[in-house]
Amino acid sequence: MTAVPGSPPTGRAKLADVAKLAGVSVGTASKALNGSGRMRPETRQRVLAAVEELDFRPNQHAQSLHTGRSWTVGLMTTDGIGRFSTPVLLGAEDALGAGKISVLLCDTRGDSIREQHHLRNLMDRRVDGIIVTGRRTDPRPPLKGIEPIPTVYALSPSTDPQDISVVSDDRSGAHLAVEHLLATGRTRIAHVTGPAHHAAARDRAHHTVELLTRSSLELATGRVHFGEWSEAWGRRAAEAVLRTAPDTDAFFCGNDQIARGVADALRENGHDVPGRVAIVGYDNWDIMALACRPPLTTIDTDLAEIGRQAALRLLDAIESEPQPGLHTVPCRLVVREST
């Protein structure tokens, strides 16, 4: 059979074939696949489209010998349930997959001995870098003994300001929630959140009070209601708030579980939501937010974008262009029927 001019070559495709089809140099095609170098997004996309069309499969062993890289990245998490680490992992894979870099997931379960065991395995595999994440926003000690390996901390920042950390901007999240409630005419806002020893609860509460004060307002009950990250706590707190401040017209909750509990308590006590009282949650956890009655207005922390940004900054660090410090990802408001 005679090949049609301009059609992909027969047999196993080579990098030169990918470059020709994408209209770029072999060097540019290589950088696009490796996730290295800087180029226009559309250029990288043309290369990836050519890879897909030609079913190109790079020789990873040859690449490793040539570059000294393993084309693997470790992702260490303390979040065994995966509620927070899974979206971060998916975001990281989206960014790393463009360079055909594999991700090795290690669950430490919050155990320092297990963490060291996984760390030794990753080092033995000569991973090119490590992303560290967890289920809380509390700062964590940096990994020890990994100085040669580029590392990025996602969601749970490192306590060392010289490390690279990518986190959610809780200040922007709290302000979006409060500004939304104020814009709907609410002025008697209660804040119900998780344990005071969790950074997420403390930070969101601090920013809530900060914005209310700037608006010449205060919390409906005069204080933050710290408790648990649970629906049961949301139900108890809602009843306590309405006993103390029956004129409360809005609840801003530290997570969606608490908000769903608040919604249940209000409904059971005959309070119309959002007619009488509005509710805003936090996290945009679909299981909670969409099952809430009514569906919950909430703050999306964009965990996938945190993972993507962490992966991109890790690639920069691998290419000897690290950007140390704390980098924040903005939150966004998702409006549903509870407001």
Side-chain angles (χ1 to χ4, degrees):
M1 179 182 292
T2 303
V4 177
S7 64
T10 58
R12 183 184 176 100
K14 299 177 181 178
L15 184 60
D17 301 322
V18 172
K20 182 178 180 181
L21 185 59
V24 300
S25 68
V26 172
T28 298
S30 177
K31 289 178 180 179
L33 292 176
N34 297 342
S36 62
R38 300 193 180 276
M39 65 188 68
R40 296 171 65 87
E42 51 266 35
T43 301
R44 191 184 301 274
Q45 189 55 47
R46 286 207 313 273
V47 174
L48 296 178
V51 167
E52 186 72 21
E53 182 174 341
L54 297 175
D55 194 28
F56 174 67
R57 296 290 182 270
N59 186 326
Q60 296 288 359
H61 180 64
Q63 283 186 317
S64 297
L65 291 176
H66 176 67
T67 63
R69 290 177 56 177
S70 65
W71 307 102
T72 57
V73 163
L75 190 144
M76 298 184 67
T77 178
T78 60
D79 181 20
I81 299 174
R83 161 69 188 93
F84 296 99
S85 63
T86 297
V88 171
L89 170 62
L90 294 176
E93 282 190 324
D94 283 346
L96 296 170
K100 305 302 180 185
I101 298 175
S102 299
V103 178
L104 303 177
L105 178 61
C106 303
D107 177 16
T108 69
R109 303 180 195 176
D111 185 315
S112 59
I113 295 177
R114 188 181 294 270
E115 179 175 277
Q116 287 301 309
H117 167 73
H118 285 309
L119 186 55
R120 285 193 298 271
N121 283 340
L122 292 176
M123 295 179 73
D124 288 343
R125 289 173 178 265
R126 302 178 64 84
V127 295
D128 297 323
I130 298 174
I131 297 174
V132 183
T133 188
R135 62 174 176 264
R136 289 171 57 173
T137 62
D138 298 79
R140 56 149 295 153
L143 297 178
K144 296 180 180 179
I146 58 165
E147 285 74 14
I149 303 177
T151 303
V152 174
Y153 298 82
L155 190 63
S156 304
S158 169
T159 53
D160 186 344
Q162 294 306 309
D163 286 333
I164 306 169
S165 298
V166 181
V167 301
S168 175
D169 186 355
D170 270 340
R171 185 176 189 275
S172 76
H175 281 207
L176 283 171
V178 175
E179 287 168 351
H180 175 65
L181 290 172
L182 294 178
T184 61
R186 316 292 172 158
T187 59
R188 298 289 291 162
I189 302 171
H191 186 52
V192 180
T193 191
H197 63 274
H198 282 205
R202 291 196 311 274
D203 292 345
R204 292 165 195 174
H206 170 76
H207 298 312
T208 297
V209 173
E210 175 187 63
L211 183 55
L212 286 175
T213 300
R214 191 187 306 169
S215 302
S216 300
L217 296 171
E218 62 179 16
L219 291 170
T221 60
R223 68 181 183 90
V224 174
H225 294 263
F226 291 104
E228 305 164 358
W229 300 115
S230 70
E231 293 173 73
W233 163 239
R235 289 191 293 271
R236 295 197 306 272
E239 293 172 353
V241 166
L242 292 177
R243 281 196 303 270
T244 304
D247 59 343
T248 297
D249 58 13
F251 283 81
F252 170 37
C253 303
N255 79 349
D256 292 338
Q257 288 171 277
I258 294 172
R260 186 174 173 183
V262 168
D264 288 345
L266 293 176
R267 186 176 63 254
E268 290 165 5
N269 285 279
H271 296 287
D272 178 43
V273 177
R276 164 73 175 80
V277 185
I279 308 172
V280 175
Y282 210 103
D283 290 334
N284 196 27
W285 186 12
D286 285 356
I287 293 175
M288 287 289 159
L290 297 180
C292 184
R293 297 166 57 193
L296 190 62
T297 293
T298 184
I299 300 297
D300 193 320
T301 55
D302 211 347
L303 295 174
E305 180 62 15
I306 290 174
R308 194 181 78 85
Q309 290 289 337
L312 292 176
R313 294 187 186 280
L314 182 63
L315 290 174
D316 286 341
I318 291 171
E319 293 297 319
S320 300
E321 298 178 10
Q323 301 175 47
L326 189 69
H327 307 273
T328 58
V329 172
C331 297
R332 63 186 181 91
L333 176 71
V334 180
V335 179
R336 298 192 181 96
E337 287 89 333
S338 69
T339 58

